[in-house]
């Protein structure tokens, strides 16, 4: 009878330190469905998700009317978008970094067993991802 066990763990850090000599420069992601969902900027990962923070769903018209104006969007059943810049109106300036696709770590485990010409193996994999919001 033979057996084997193997394990691994990996982690990496990803941070843009500089794009150019202009410290305020950023690169927007490719537009998908007429929206841009990622952004790259010094001090953040490459890339990070960039968009609106959602605080729930409007349940009633009264709740929608009391929320920061967003054109005709505020209606029951629609997403409640956070007024990030605090100006009392929902605008593109309320978009912010909301997470990144990079795992905090990945790990794996492989187990194997061989007995009289038969063998069995199992592989387990895990990836942990934290969000910023």
């Amino acid at each position: 009878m033979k057996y084997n066990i193997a394990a691994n763990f990996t982690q990496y850090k990803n941070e843009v330190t500089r794009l150019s000599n202009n410290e305020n420069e950023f690169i927007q992601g490719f537009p998908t469905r007429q929206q841009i969902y990622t952004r790259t900027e010094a001090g953040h990962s490459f890339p990070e998700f960039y968009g609106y923070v959602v605080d729930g769903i409007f349940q009633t018209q009264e709740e929608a009317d009391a929320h920061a104006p967003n054109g005709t969007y505020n209606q029951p059943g629609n997403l409640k978008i956070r007024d990030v810049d605090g100006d009392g109106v929902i605008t593109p300036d309320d978009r912010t970094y909301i997470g990144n696709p990079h795992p905090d770590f990945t790990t794996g485990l492989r187990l194997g067993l061989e007995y009289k010409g038969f063998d069995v193996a199992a592989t387990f994999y895990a990836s942990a991802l934290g969000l910023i919001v």
Side-chain angles (χ1 to χ4, degrees), residues 4-8 108-113 119-125:
N4 62 63
I5 300 172
N8 65 37
L109 177 67
R110 177 171 165 72
L111 305 172
L113 177 65
D119 62 65
V120 176
T123 302
F124 303 93
Y125 172 82

Side-chain angles (χ1 to χ4, degrees), residues 6-54:
N8 65 37
F9 178 91
T10 186
Q11 181 178 32
Y12 68 92
K13 297 293 180 186
N14 171 356
E15 181 180 337
V16 175
T17 57
R18 190 177 94 173
L19 291 173
S20 72
N21 290 331
N22 179 354
E23 63 184 49
N24 296 321
E25 183 177 21
F26 63 89
I27 299 170
Q28 294 189 111
F30 183 77
T32 304
R33 297 183 187 161
Q34 289 74 44
Q35 295 291 323
I36 297 172
Y37 297 104
T38 61
R39 182 172 176 165
T40 302
E41 184 175 9
H44 294 273
S45 297
F46 173 80
E48 284 193 27
F49 297 120
Y50 191 79
Y52 295 103
V53 177
V54 175

